Amino acid sequence: MPKRSVLDPQGAAVGHALESLGFAGLKSTRVGKFIELETAAADTPEFRAKLEAVCRDLLSNPVIEDFRCEIDAS
């Protein structure tokens, strides 16, 4: 997601469109991206550290974006 301090014109456009469709009461609208990875790796502390590094160093731009990693073991 864009950091709160970064202007998000796409989020603003979506917010205005939602308001024009009658969706009132929005405080803010932000637009980001999701990247889904499927792996056979075991959920270990080492794997989580590697995933965190990949998200930080490759999949996001830490200057303007915040990220989070979620693991769904289902």
Side-chain angles (χ1 to χ4, degrees):
M1 294 296 297
K3 290 185 175 186
R4 290 279 173 198
S5 61
V6 174
L7 181 65
D8 183 7
Q10 187 177 10
V14 169
H16 291 302
L18 288 169
E19 288 174 350
S20 72
L21 293 171
F23 199 90
L26 289 173
K27 292 184 178 183
S28 71
T29 306
R30 310 286 288 171
V31 174
K33 64 183 176 185
F34 286 90
I35 300 172
E36 186 174 306
L37 306 172
E38 185 174 340
T39 179
D43 182 7
T44 64
E46 294 80 15
F47 174 76
R48 286 181 180 258
K50 185 180 286 189
L51 179 62
E52 184 83 12
V54 166
C55 289
R56 181 188 61 244
D57 300 336
L58 177 68
L59 300 177
S60 73
N61 179 345
V63 174
I64 62 169
E65 295 174 322
D66 289 322
F67 70 90
R68 71 174 186 264
C69 302
E70 295 179 9
I71 296 177
D72 180 5
S74 58

